[in-house]
Amino acid sequence: MRVFLALPLESGVRKQLVGCQKAWAKMIGNVKWVEQENLHLTLKFLGEVSEQDLVAVKRAAGRVAEEFPPFSVNLSGPGVFPSARKGRVLWVGLKDEGERLKLMAQRLDAELAPLNFSPGKAGFTPHLTLGRLRQPAAVTIPALPVEGVPVRLTEVVLYRSVLTPHGPLYQALAEFGLGKK
Ligand code: 2AM
């Protein structure tokens, strides 16, 4: 099955991000906006994983989650992957003073290395995807009034992603509380 590891967001933060989507939607069209309930912070996209590997993925995620007590980061400015001139993914950045998200992603890569999941080539940029352009296009980056909003992170979740004609459905398969044995 198709899976990824992510940190869920509190509903208040997701609501604020919907506000960002609305503001951005005034400037740009042809975007598939992420549904409010689907907004999340991806740590690692794994893609298709066998039942057997899933057991090892859960063990790895549990080990890493245990090492990081719950913490907060802050929303920062908007951004576009791969570039504003040829935009594909519209996102809001995260300010993480201690680089704990990056550390977490690195620890996951290390734990998952024996399973032959490739570490992300482009490195890890903590971000919250708000929408995806249906066709790559030049994008205007708006000023969004969310900079500094705190985002409390308390668990890592293993999600299954089921692709449907109406968009992806994310189903939580396992939850790992941060800092918990
Ligand atoms: P994102 O964090 O930039 O949104 C589920 O599909 C999640 O995994 C998405 O949130 C997505 O990125 C992330 N992801 C990373 N690489 C992906 C890929 N090749 N295909 C689909 N999703 C991917």
Side-chain angles (χ1 to χ4, degrees):
M1 66 183 81
R2 185 183 161 90
V3 299
F4 65 99
L5 288 161
L7 297 151
L9 306 171
E10 310 154 277
S11 63
V13 170
R14 283 186 280 117
K15 273 196 193 117
Q16 300 223 38
L17 294 172
V18 169
C20 294
Q21 291 175 326
K22 287 183 178 149
W24 217 335
K26 288 184 186 148
M27 302 175 162
I28 180 167
N30 212 14
V31 177
K32 171 91 181 79
W33 297 102
V34 177
E35 302 286 346
Q36 186 166 342
E37 67 271 21
N38 283 351
L39 289 162
H40 62 267
L41 198 178
T42 305
L43 272 177
K44 176 106 187 137
F45 177 76
L46 298 164
E48 283 298 325
V49 172
S50 66
E51 291 288 341
Q52 194 186 337
D53 278 354
L54 210 54
V55 177
V57 166
K58 285 182 191 168
R59 233 180 274 130
R63 272 198 294 270
V64 174
E66 197 180 298
E67 293 168 13
F68 294 81
F71 62 100
S72 296
V73 295
N74 298 90
L75 297 183
S76 65
V80 179
F81 289 145
S83 71
R85 285 175 57 190
K86 213 174 180 187
R88 272 188 179 279
V89 178
L90 310 181
W91 48 267
V92 166
L94 291 162
K95 193 164 161 202
D96 175 17
E97 295 287 358
E99 299 221 307
R100 289 151 297 184
L101 291 170
K102 201 170 170 181
L103 268 172
M104 244 187 179
Q106 283 170 353
R107 281 288 298 118
L108 272 174
D109 276 341
E111 288 284 339
L112 294 169
L115 297 173
N116 286 324
F117 289 113
S118 58
K121 275 189 213 111
F124 179 75
T125 306
H127 68 277
L128 306 173
T129 296
L130 299 184
R132 297 180 178 85
L133 277 85
R134 294 195 172 91
Q135 292 289 329
V139 174
T140 309
I141 300 184
L144 299 174
V146 289
E147 206 152 333
V149 166
V151 180
R152 184 92 184 136
L153 303 169
T154 58
E155 60 176 355
V156 172
V157 177
L158 175 68
Y159 287 101
R160 176 178 189 184
S161 166
V162 181
L163 302 177
T164 80
H166 312 291
L169 288 177
Y170 297 150
Q171 180 192 356
L173 296 177
E175 284 145 21
F176 309 94
L178 294 188
K180 286 193 186 153
K181 282 257 178 226

